[in-house]
Amino acid sequence: MTNERSSREDEGLAQAIVEDVGATLSGANTAIPADFVTQLFGHSVTEDLVRYGTADLAALAERTWNFLAERQPNTPKIRCESVALSHSGPLTSITVLEIVNDDMPFLFDSVMGELAERHLPVRLVAHPVFGVKREAGRLVALGARDMAGSQRESCILIHLDTIAEESARAELVAALDNVLTQVRLAVTDWRAMLDRVATITREIENNPPPLPVGEIAEAIQFLQWLQDDNFTFLGMRDYRFEGDRLTPDFESGLGIMRARDLHVLMRGDELIDYTPEIMAFFKEPRPLIVAKANIHARVHRRVYLDYIGVKRFDAAGNLTGEHRIVGLFTSTAYTRPAHSIPYLRRKIAAVEQRASFDPKGHSGKALDNVLAQYPRDELFQVDEDTLYEFALAIMQLDEHPRVRVLARRDRFDRFVSVLVYVPRERYDSAIRIKIGDYLSRAFGGHVTGYYPFFPEGPLVRVHFIIGRSGSAAVEIDRAKLEADVAAIVRSWTDALGEALATANSPDKARELFVRYRDAFSNSFHEFYAPAVAAADIRTIESLSESRPLAVDIRHRHAEEPQNISLRVWSLGRPLPLSERVPVLENMGFTVVDERTYRITPKDAPRLWSHDMLLTRADGGTIDLESGKAPLETAFLMVMRGLAENDGYNALTLIGGLAWRDVALIRTFSRFLRQIRVPYSQDYMWATLTKHAAIAAAIVELFHARFDPRPDAEHERDAKQNDIVASIEEALQEVQSLDEDRILRQFDNAVQSAIRTNFYQTDPAGQPKAEIAVKFESRKLTDLPLPRPLYEIFVCSPRVEGVHMRFGKVARGGIRWSDRPQDFRTEILGLVKAQQVKNAVIVPVGAKGGFVPKLMPKSPTRDQFMAEGIA
C-alpha cells in the first residue's frame, strides 16, 4: 500500500509540474500545441523533473520545439549544447542532447549505450514518439504518434552534467551519428537478412554438404531457431576462399556489415577477416561455428557481438567460403532451457551421457542444475570435453564450497574465459577488480567483460573475459590460480567500502573507493579498522601541494589521559623522526613509540601516515577537550616553518596558548636578549613554561592594550589595570629571584610597547609572518645607554630586526648585520657615531639593522642580494 501511495503521489506531482510548465510555455509561445509539454515530459521520472524550475523547463521545452521545426527525411538530426539555468537552485547549467529521427527499433537503447560507455551522468531523460507532418522538411503539424496522415518520429531529449569543452560535445555528436547510422542499416536490412538466412537454410536442406547427417540436421534446426525471434540480426557478409585465404565479398554485405571497414575479428590490436584457427575450423566436420566477435555492438546492447559462421559449399560439395552473421542473441536464448535450444542440446546430451548419472538421482539433478546455470554465451562456445570437466568441478562445490577458478582459452586465442567462484560474504566490486587485475596479469591481457551471478548458496560466480593482447599463450595450473585468488579475497576492504558509503554520497563513495581500495597496506589493515581508514581518507583528500600536512590528536585509550596518539599525514614525502621528535619535545611531549605507513591512492601522489604515541614530559594529564585544536595547529605551524621550534612551544600544552600568542612571547624574549637582559633564551622559556599562568596573563595584557576590535576599547584602561594587578599578585608567589626578574622584564616590555602589527593579516587573510612591536624605549627597565626615543623590533622565522630613533626628527639608514646574538648593540654603536658625525645637520640620529635567519651556509651573491631585498 505504501508503494502504491508513493507511486500515485509521484504521478500526481509529475502531472502538476508538467501542467505548470505547459501553462508557462503556452503563455510565452502560443504557436506551440497545448499538449506538447505533456507529450515531451509526461513520462520523465518525477525526481528528475523536480530539480528544475518551471521557467527553466519551459525554456528547455521551447528549445526542443524549435529543434523539431525542421529535419531532412531519412537523416538523424543531433544537437548537443550546454545551457545555463536561472531558476533551478543549485543546478546552474546542463548539457542538452537532442536527437530527432525516423522512429525505428533500437534508437533509445543504442544512444544510452553510447552515453554509458563514455561514463556521462544523465540528469533527465525524455523520449516521446510524435506523429508529424512535414513539407520539404519543415514541420507543419505535430501530435500523438497515431495522428492520421502523419509519420512517426522519435525525439530523444537527454540532460547531462555540463560538458564544458565544445570539442567533447562535437565528438559525442559524431559518435552518436555513427551509432544511428548503424541502427538504420540494421533496421533497414533486417528483412533482407532474414530472407538470406532462410535461403542459406534451404540450400543446406536441398543440397546437403558432405558432413555427418546429425551435424547437418542440427545446423538446419539452429538456423531456423535463430530466425524465430531468438537472434537480433545486425549484419551479414559472405566470404570466399581464394587459395588459403578468406576474402570478403563486400557486395553481399547487409546491415552493419555494409561498411567495408567493419571487421569482427582481431589478432592482438590488428583487425582481420580470418585467423589460422578459423581456417582450422573449415577442416572440421561441422557446418557452423558460434563464437564471440572482437568488437562491441553499437546497436541495441553495448556487448560483444555474437558471431555465427556457416560454411558455404558449391553444388559439387566443395567448400567455397563462409556466410558470416553477426548480431545478438535475444533474451529467449538466455531464458529458455538449454535442452530446448538446437546446437546446445547436443553438447548437453553428450556431457550427461558421458557422466552417466541417474537423471532422477542427486548427482543427475545436480549436473542438470549446473548445466542450466552455466553462462549461456560460454555454453555456445565451450567444447564438450571442457564442459564435462568444468561441470563436474562445479558440482563438487555443493559438497565443499571453496574458491574455484576454471579457465578456458578461446580456440582462436583471442581471449580467456574464466569462471571464478568466491565466498559471497567476501565478494564486492573491489574484490572483483583485484581478481580481474590478477587474471589480466596472469594471462597477459585485460578484462574486457565480467558477469557476476548469485546462485543459491554461499558462493558467488563471476565470469571474466580476459582479452588477449597477441602475446605468447600462457598455461597456468588451476591449483595456482585458485591459491592466488584465495589470497586476494580479503574482508577488510568490504568494510572500508561500507564505511565510505555511510559517510559520503553514493557517487562520492564510489569515487573514493576506486581511489583508495588498494591504497592501504596489509600492515595498515592489521592495526586500523576500516572506519578509521575512511576517516583518514577524509583528511587525506584535504591535502595539496600548498598544504601537504595534516594532523589529528586524540587519546588512544580513554582510560589513559596522560597519553595521546598524534597522527600526521604527509603528502609527497615521509617526515623523518629527526624532524618530528625535536618539535614534539619542545612542545612538552615525550615520544613513546611510532608507526609509519605508506598510502598510495590510485592516480594520485603517494603520502605517508605517521602515528606516534606521546606522553607529557612532566607526567601530567593531557586535556584535549579544549587543547586539541591549539596543539594540532601549533605542531602544523612549526612543521610548515611558520613558527619557530623552541621551548616556548610548550606554552601551548602547559598554558593553553595559541601558537600565535607563543610567537608573541618569543618576539619579546628575542627583544629582551637584544637589550642585554642577562638570561639565556633557554632559561627564559623554562621560566615562562614553569609559570605558564603568568605568561598567559602577560599575553592577555598585550591583547588588552592593543586589540583593535571596537568592543575592546570599552574599559581598556580598567582592564589593563586589573591584569597588571593580577600579575603583580602572582609574582609575589615566585620564589626564585631570577625567575621573578625574567617575568617582570616581560611584563615591563609589554607595558612599554605602544604600537604593533600583531593583528594585521596578509593578502590571503592569514596573520603576517613578521611580528613588529614599537617601544617607548625610556620606559624599558635596565635599557643600556644611550636610550632611543622609540624603537621597533621585528621578529619572524625568516628575519629579526630593529630600528631605533632618538628623536621625532631623525636621520639614518639600515644595514645587514652578521651578529644575530647582539645586532642591536652593533646598531647602537653606529648611532653613537652617527650623532657625532651629523650633529650639525640633524640633531639626533636613527639607525636600523636586520639578521636573516634562513640563509644557506654559503650563499651565492644572487641569493645574498635577493634575501636582503626581500
Side-chain angles (χ1 to χ4, degrees):
M1 289 296 293
T2 301
N3 290 338
E4 291 178 8
R5 187 183 308 113
S6 176
S7 178
R8 288 197 301 271
E9 290 173 353
D10 284 351
E11 185 177 340
L13 178 58
Q15 183 177 351
I17 292 172
V18 170
E19 288 175 355
D20 288 346
V21 174
T24 302
L25 185 57
S26 297
N29 191 334
T30 56
I32 299 177
D35 63 345
F36 174 69
V37 172
T38 301
Q39 288 181 270
L40 183 61
F41 292 128
H43 295 287
S44 295
V45 178
T46 304
E47 61 190 270
D48 293 341
L49 288 172
V50 298
R51 296 189 182 122
Y52 296 81
T54 300
D56 284 336
L57 277 177
L60 292 166
E62 186 172 14
R63 276 177 53 88
T64 302
W65 169 261
N66 294 333
F67 186 66
L68 285 163
E70 188 170 336
R71 183 180 79 88
Q72 296 304 312
N74 303 319
T75 304
K77 184 179 180 182
I78 310 172
R79 181 170 70 181
C80 184
E81 294 181 346
S82 291
V83 178
L85 303 177
S86 304
H87 303 87
S88 300
L91 190 61
T92 58
S93 70
I94 54 170
T95 290
V96 179
L97 174 65
E98 295 159 302
I99 303 171
V100 182
N101 202 0
D102 299 315
D103 186 37
M104 62 184 69
F106 310 139
L107 290 175
F108 180 71
D109 43 9
S110 300
V111 169
M112 295 303 291
E114 183 67 29
L115 298 181
E117 188 168 277
R118 292 171 177 270
H119 305 290
L120 296 174
V122 174
R123 286 193 171 272
L124 182 142
V125 173
H127 52 104
V129 175
F130 296 114
V132 302
K133 296 179 183 178
R134 295 185 184 274
E135 293 180 358
R138 294 189 64 81
L139 182 68
V140 296
L142 181 144
R145 66 175 67 192
D146 55 357
M147 184 175 69
S150 67
Q151 298 292 322
R152 291 171 59 169
E153 290 190 3
S154 163
C155 175
I156 298 175
L157 172 65
I158 299 174
H159 293 178
L160 306 167
D161 282 355
T162 303
I163 304 173
E165 299 81 7
E166 184 177 351
S167 60
R169 298 195 299 270
E171 181 185 341
L172 176 59
V173 169
L176 289 171
D177 185 68
N178 181 38
V179 167
L180 296 177
T181 298
Q182 292 198 25
V183 170
R184 184 175 293 273
L185 288 171
V187 172
T188 301
D189 287 351
W190 173 74
R191 174 53 61 185
M193 287 187 280
L194 274 180
D195 292 344
R196 183 176 292 182
V197 174
T199 300
I200 293 169
T201 306
R202 286 194 300 270
E203 288 175 351
I204 297 174
E205 286 180 304
N206 297 332
N207 188 20
L211 296 172
V213 174
E215 291 287 349
I216 295 173
E218 193 71 4
I220 290 171
Q221 292 187 46
F222 180 68
L223 291 173
Q224 291 171 338
W225 177 82
L226 291 179
Q227 299 168 63
D228 193 19
D229 293 331
N230 293 304
F231 192 78
T232 301
F233 293 91
L234 298 181
M236 293 183 66
R237 185 189 292 156
D238 290 342
Y239 289 75
R240 61 180 177 270
F241 272 119
E242 292 184 355
D244 59 351
R245 298 170 61 88
L246 271 178
T247 302
D249 177 7
F250 291 116
E251 298 305 318
S252 68
L254 292 174
I256 64 174
M257 295 192 77
R258 282 194 195 186
R260 296 190 172 213
D261 59 350
L262 182 69
H263 303 267
V264 298
L265 299 175
M266 296 180 69
R267 183 189 291 115
D269 295 329
E270 179 188 5
L271 288 164
I272 56 175
D273 286 312
Y274 67 95
T275 68
E277 293 79 10
I278 285 182
M279 302 306 292
F281 151 69
F282 285 102
K283 298 177 182 178
E284 296 178 357
R286 298 180 182 181
L288 58 82
I289 183 173
V290 180
K292 284 286 184 182
N294 288 95
I295 61 172
H296 279 100
R298 301 177 73 81
V299 178
H300 190 28
R301 303 198 308 270
R302 198 55 68 98
V303 295
Y304 283 97
L305 285 164
D306 292 300
Y307 156 45
I308 299 168
V310 184
K311 292 178 180 178
R312 298 172 61 193
F313 296 86
D314 61 17
N318 298 312
L319 184 63
T320 61
E322 175 195 18
H323 301 290
R324 187 166 294 178
I325 305 167
V326 295
L328 300 169
F329 286 108
T330 63
S331 60
T332 56
Y334 299 94
T335 56
R336 285 183 182 177
H339 293 82
S340 68
I341 298 177
Y343 189 78
L344 297 185
R345 60 194 178 191
R346 283 173 62 89
K347 288 185 185 180
I348 292 173
V351 169
E352 290 177 335
Q353 182 179 3
R354 186 171 174 181
S356 67
F357 295 135
D358 179 1
K360 296 182 180 180
H362 172 77
S363 296
K365 291 179 180 178
L367 178 60
D368 183 71
N369 184 58
V370 168
L371 294 171
Q373 294 184 346
Y374 208 84
R376 191 59 54 91
D377 283 330
E378 182 69 1
L379 202 56
F380 275 113
Q381 299 171 67
V382 67
D383 64 90
E384 292 174 9
D385 290 342
T386 304
L387 180 59
Y388 173 76
E389 176 191 347
F390 285 5
L392 295 186
I394 295 168
M395 280 181 60
Q396 297 169 359
L397 297 177
D398 285 340
E399 302 171 0
H400 183 186
R402 71 194 83 180
V403 170
R404 178 126 292 171
V405 183
L406 305 170
R408 177 189 69 85
R409 189 179 302 281
D410 168 52
R411 65 177 296 173
F412 305 143
D413 199 27
R414 299 169 303 163
F415 61 85
V416 180
S417 169
V418 190
L419 299 179
V420 179
Y421 291 81
V422 295
R424 183 185 296 264
E425 73 274 8
R426 299 287 183 88
Y427 176 78
D428 63 9
S429 59
I431 291 296
R432 185 258 303 159
I433 290 171
K434 286 183 178 180
I435 295 174
D437 289 345
Y438 162 73
L439 294 174
S440 297
R441 294 192 301 271
F443 291 108
H446 61 281
V447 176
T448 60
Y450 61 89
Y451 310 97
F453 176 65
F454 297 85
E456 291 185 3
L459 298 177
V460 173
R461 182 191 76 201
V462 187
H463 181 200
F464 289 97
I465 304 297
I466 307 299
R468 300 269 292 122
S469 60
S471 57
V474 179
E475 296 296 334
I476 305 176
D477 182 68
R478 194 177 92 189
K480 173 172 174 52
L481 289 172
E482 292 177 351
D484 290 346
V485 170
I488 290 171
V489 179
R490 301 186 186 277
S491 59
W492 188 92
T493 311
D494 302 347
L496 175 63
E498 294 171 3
L500 289 172
T502 301
N504 299 276
S505 66
D507 289 343
K508 184 65 174 178
R510 283 192 293 271
E511 175 191 337
L512 293 174
F513 196 61
V514 167
R515 192 176 304 149
Y516 290 97
R517 62 176 171 248
D518 300 324
F520 300 97
S521 64
N522 289 338
S523 58
F524 187 98
H525 293 181
E526 292 169 4
F527 193 76
Y528 297 100
V532 173
D536 287 359
I537 289 171
R538 192 162 54 248
T539 301
I540 291 167
E541 284 291 293
S542 69
L543 299 180
S544 64
E545 289 186 6
S546 60
R547 290 184 174 272
L549 297 179
V551 301
D552 178 61
I553 293 177
R554 63 185 64 243
H555 289 295
R556 187 174 290 182
H557 304 291
E559 64 273 17
E560 297 178 4
Q562 73 279 11
N563 295 339
I564 60 169
S565 172
L566 170 64
R567 301 281 306 281
V568 183
W569 293 270
S570 175
L571 185 68
R573 72 177 186 97
L575 297 177
L577 281 171
S578 58
E579 288 184 27
R580 289 178 273 145
V581 172
V583 174
L584 293 168
E585 289 178 342
N586 277 330
M587 290 179 66
F589 293 110
T590 298
V591 180
V592 177
D593 69 22
E594 187 271 353
R595 294 182 178 89
T596 292
Y597 303 91
R598 188 171 68 177
I599 302 172
T600 55
K602 182 180 180 181
D603 298 330
R606 293 182 299 177
L607 59 138
W608 280 260
S609 169
H610 306 290
D611 188 349
M612 291 166 282
L613 182 64
L614 311 178
T615 62
R616 275 183 64 148
D618 60 9
T621 60
I622 304 172
D623 177 19
L624 293 185
E625 186 169 346
S626 60
K628 174 180 169 65
L631 287 170
E632 290 174 349
T633 304
F635 179 81
L636 275 178
M637 291 302 106
V638 176
M639 296 304 296
R640 291 173 180 169
L642 300 178
E644 296 186 63
N645 180 29
D646 58 28
Y648 287 109
N649 291 326
L651 287 169
T652 300
L653 173 65
I654 299 171
L657 295 185
W659 76 274
R660 184 73 171 161
D661 289 335
V662 173
L664 179 67
I665 288 288
R666 182 179 296 111
T667 298
F668 280 105
S669 75
R670 299 289 171 80
F671 175 67
L672 292 175
R673 279 296 297 155
Q674 291 298 325
I675 64 172
R676 316 304 292 162
V677 169
Y679 304 104
S680 69
Q681 292 288 337
D682 299 46
Y683 193 9
M684 286 195 285
W685 73 52
T687 298
L688 267 73
T689 53
K690 181 178 179 181
H691 303 282
I694 297 177
I698 291 171
V699 170
E700 185 183 8
L701 175 61
F702 179 88
H703 291 310
R705 288 176 61 80
F706 300 109
D707 190 339
R709 292 175 296 180
D711 56 345
E713 289 291 342
H714 181 64
E715 298 182 346
R716 185 185 294 275
D717 292 339
K719 188 173 182 180
Q720 289 184 66
N721 292 335
D722 290 343
I723 296 171
V724 169
S726 68
I727 293 173
E728 183 60 34
E729 183 178 354
L731 287 171
Q732 300 305 316
E733 303 297 320
V734 176
Q735 301 298 315
S736 166
L737 180 60
D738 282 344
E739 291 172 2
D740 178 87
R741 292 187 63 188
I742 289 171
L743 294 169
R744 290 184 184 278
Q745 291 279 6
F746 278 85
D747 177 46
N748 170 246
V750 170
Q751 293 195 56
S752 301
I754 56 174
R755 292 183 66 189
T756 183
N757 76 333
F758 182 84
Y759 302 95
Q760 294 178 5
T761 56
D762 62 22
Q766 300 300 314
K768 287 187 173 180
E770 303 82 14
I771 297 177
V773 181
K774 183 176 182 179
F775 297 93
E776 191 173 347
S777 305
R778 291 161 191 176
K779 289 185 177 181
L780 291 164
T781 304
D782 299 331
L783 187 69
L785 295 174
R787 295 184 176 185
L789 179 62
Y790 304 112
E791 61 188 286
I792 299 172
F793 186 76
V794 178
C795 181
S796 76
R798 183 178 183 183
V799 67
E800 287 183 22
V802 67
H803 191 270
M804 294 177 283
R805 297 176 63 86
F806 284 77
K808 293 187 176 182
V809 178
R811 179 175 180 271
I814 189 169
R815 65 172 282 125
W816 182 316
S817 174
D818 58 359
R819 293 166 56 177
Q821 298 301 318
D822 63 342
F823 60 86
R824 183 184 182 277
T825 302
E826 177 188 10
I827 304 305
L828 192 63
L830 294 173
V831 172
K832 293 178 182 179
Q834 182 188 46
Q835 284 180 306
V836 174
K837 177 181 177 182
N838 296 340
V840 178
I841 306 170
V842 178
V844 293
K847 198 71 174 177
F850 64 94
V851 177
K853 298 158 68 174
L854 300 180
M855 289 291 293
K857 288 184 178 180
S858 300
T860 65
R861 175 173 176 79
D862 288 344
Q863 290 174 324
F864 188 91
M865 294 299 295
E867 188 69 1
I869 293 169

